[in-house]
Amino acid sequence: MKVLLTCEHARNSFPPDMENIFKGKQRLLQSHRGWDEGALEMARGLKRKLKAPLLEGSHSRLVIDLNRSINHRKAFSEITKRLPQETKDKIISTIHRPFRENARVIVEKQSQVLHLSIHSFVPILDGKKRNCEIGILYDPRRPLETNVAKQLKLSFQANDPNVIIKMNYPYRGTSDGHTTQLRRTFSPKKYLGIELEFNQAWLKKLKNKNRVIEWIADSIQNSLL
Ligand SMILES: [Zn+2]
């Protein structure tokens, strides 16, 4: 089984020709609504250890959210949703479509792929503390995917029993997203789509990030069919 890594919310930048639209939006761009802080570092570390391809989102999700379908009401943000259709079409054809298409082509060429979509989440949302360090998101209706997700949890815990790991938390693996779309395209045997969500507070306080990336990569390798 081959591994494909993606990082949809890797960056909080925007295309140079959108400077006017994003004027004065620095704070929003810096926040969790702009990007997944720490996710790209984790994704790149895993790419190195696993020698797997990694697709990185090129711009902020405030331009377009690569983890939403183009017809989802939140694909475009409050900043971009009222732009002229022509501009939105350009954003779709230059940012969203190529990213999704690259992933689809990589999966298509292999007999079996474990797609790991790497994200991070804020430790407190709407005043509520999220008591979890790593979330594993998957579709419980897909048996192979479920097996690998459970195996990943066991393997993570074996490496560090103190890490709190939750399944389908802080979001459900079946909500609209990149993995959800690819599940519709490929059979459960060919395509296994799992989102790994890392708590940003946990990522920040890690003393030896490289060592943690190493045991996460080892766990992934041990969970491959
Ligand atoms: Zn994300």
Side-chain angles (χ1 to χ4, degrees), residues 9 36 61 67 118-120 197:
H9 304 140
D36 283 5
R61 76 217 259 181
N67 209 32
I118 310 298
H119 297 263
S120 71
E197 287 272 359

Side-chain angles (χ1 to χ4, degrees), residues 5-133:
L5 296 159
T6 60
C7 191
E8 286 73 13
H9 304 140
R11 292 184 171 78
N12 59 355
S13 60
F14 49 82
D17 60 356
M18 295 184 82
E19 202 156 331
N20 268 341
I21 299 162
F22 280 94
K23 211 174 215 155
K25 304 291 182 194
Q26 273 313 317
R27 269 183 74 165
L28 191 62
L29 284 161
Q30 293 293 344
S31 78
H32 73 99
R33 285 160 68 202
W35 66 318
D36 283 5
E37 196 179 350
L40 182 59
E41 192 184 359
M42 176 60 73
R44 285 187 171 172
L46 294 176
K47 171 198 161 98
R48 264 196 316 274
K49 303 273 182 218
L50 296 167
K51 298 186 177 27
L54 164 65
L55 302 177
E56 301 177 3
S58 55
H59 294 293
S60 171
R61 76 217 259 181
L62 293 168
V63 178
I64 190 164
D65 192 334
L66 296 173
N67 209 32
R68 292 276 172 260
S69 306
I70 44 174
N71 53 3
H72 190 277
R73 65 184 175 87
K74 286 189 172 167
F76 287 95
S77 69
E78 68 262 44
I79 297 171
T80 52
K81 69 181 173 195
R82 284 183 198 90
L83 290 172
Q85 193 55 48
E86 199 187 331
T87 314
K88 286 161 82 173
D89 287 344
K90 191 181 153 208
I91 291 171
I92 291 170
S93 66
T94 57
I95 299 174
H96 194 285
R97 198 168 293 140
F99 184 83
R100 292 290 185 99
E101 184 59 13
N102 285 342
R104 194 190 63 75
V105 167
I106 290 172
V107 177
E108 199 168 54
K109 283 184 184 154
Q110 305 296 338
S111 54
Q112 195 172 43
V113 172
L114 171 63
H115 171 203
L116 295 168
S117 171
I118 310 298
H119 297 263
S120 71
F121 62 91
V122 282
I124 299 167
L125 190 70
D126 302 328
K128 226 183 137 202
K129 191 174 175 223
R130 291 154 143 183
N131 192 26
C132 168
E133 272 123 17

Side-chain angles (χ1 to χ4, degrees), residues 122-148:
V122 282
I124 299 167
L125 190 70
D126 302 328
K128 226 183 137 202
K129 191 174 175 223
R130 291 154 143 183
N131 192 26
C132 168
E133 272 123 17
I134 307 176
I136 302 174
L137 281 54
Y138 65 100
D139 183 347
R141 290 166 302 189
R142 293 171 80 106
L144 287 180
E145 206 176 284
T146 305
N147 278 349
V148 172

